[in-house]
Amino acid sequence: SQQGEEDPQALSIQEGENATMNCSYKTSINNLQWYRQNSGRGLVHLILIRSNEREKHSGRLRVTLDTSKKSSSLLITASRAADTASYFCATDARAGGTSYGKLTFGQGTILTVHP
Amino acid sequence: DAGVTQSPTHLIKTRGQQVTLRCSPKSGHDTVSWYQQALGQGPQFIFQYYEEEERQRGNFPDRFSGHQFPNYSSELNVNALLLGDSALYLCASGQGSGETQYFGPGTRLLVL
């Protein structure tokens, strides 16, 4: 079963614009991760944010986490055509207080960046 | 430094057959997880192996089984294939608790 829901399901923007994707989840988590997938191939890890963190940056990526609302957002600034891909959030939920890396993914957001 | 590798890249089988997929983890990693990704969906966790034992399992039937070898590589076996088993099968490796996992390119399985 899918833990998270991404919003929107699809996003189409022009190069240079910012892209924001949202993710909601249902249970308590240890961390939340964002992945990118090109053309149905392997997933590329983008960023991990722990449950005690509220915001994290990596290059043009900014992730926020609101554990009270069980939601996260991924912002890609100054987008490029090469950012065109599917983006997934994945949660690593608590299991007896420990984390074994069992990730639960949302259904993803398809981002298209037009040149 | 080689990343996670998977073989084969594509596979076509017929209903009722059995299939074995293979995964070699990233160098230095000792945990291997398997995921199934149906078309248009997010990946779903099948199971995870650590120290040659299945450590966690998702909501998949016993037709799905696996193995981890002493060199940390892993196999996913699926018996009595169904049409619904058609999917991209992803392997991910990590260290210990596997907080950050690195995914391979996947094996695309088509069941006819």
Side-chain angles (χ1 to χ4, degrees), chain A:
Chain A
S1 61
Q2 307 284 156
Q3 147 104 295
E5 293 183 1
E6 273 107 332
D7 168 51
Q9 290 187 327
L11 181 60
S12 181
I13 60 175
Q14 296 295 127
E15 254 189 343
E17 294 182 338
N18 295 340
T20 299
M21 287 160 268
N22 302 297
C23 167
S24 61
Y25 58 92
K26 298 174 184 174
T27 65
S28 296
I29 61 172
N30 291 336
N31 63 64
L32 185 145
Q33 305 178 38
W34 285 90
Y35 287 84
R36 184 185 74 223
Q37 185 176 44
N38 290 85
S39 303
R41 298 305 289 172
L43 295 162
V44 174
H45 185 265
L46 296 176
I47 198 165
L48 179 152
I49 186 165
R50 295 187 176 88
S51 59
N52 61 352
E53 298 175 312
R54 292 297 168 257
E55 187 171 312
K56 210 161 184 181
H57 296 257
S58 177
R60 294 184 295 114
L61 305 180
R62 172 179 171 257
V63 169
T64 60
L65 179 64
D66 187 335
T67 53
S68 66
K69 295 181 179 178
K70 292 187 169 57
S71 67
S72 174
S73 67
L74 170 67
L75 168 67
I76 304 173
T77 60
S79 63
R80 306 165 181 167
D83 295 328
T84 294
S86 293
Y87 291 82
F88 294 90
C89 69
T91 53
D92 193 339
R94 293 185 180 279
T98 57
S99 167
Y100 291 114
K102 173 186 174 182
L103 298 177
T104 304
F105 286 82
Q107 292 195 329
T109 293
I110 300 171
L111 173 65
T112 303
V113 182
H114 300 280

Side-chain angles (χ1 to χ4, degrees), chain A residues 100-103, chain B residues 4 6 23 30-35 45-50 55-56 68 74 89-94 98 101-104:
Chain A
Y100 291 114
K102 173 186 174 182
L103 298 177
Chain B
V4 180
Q6 292 186 244
C23 170
D30 53 10
T31 300
V32 173
S33 301
W34 287 91
Y35 292 81
F45 177 82
I46 302 175
F47 44 52
Q48 184 180 77
Y49 278 85
Y50 174 67
R55 182 160 70 176
Q56 278 201 104
Q68 186 179 34
S74 176
Y89 288 84
L90 295 161
C91 165
S93 73
Q101 296 186 53
Y102 296 84
F103 282 78

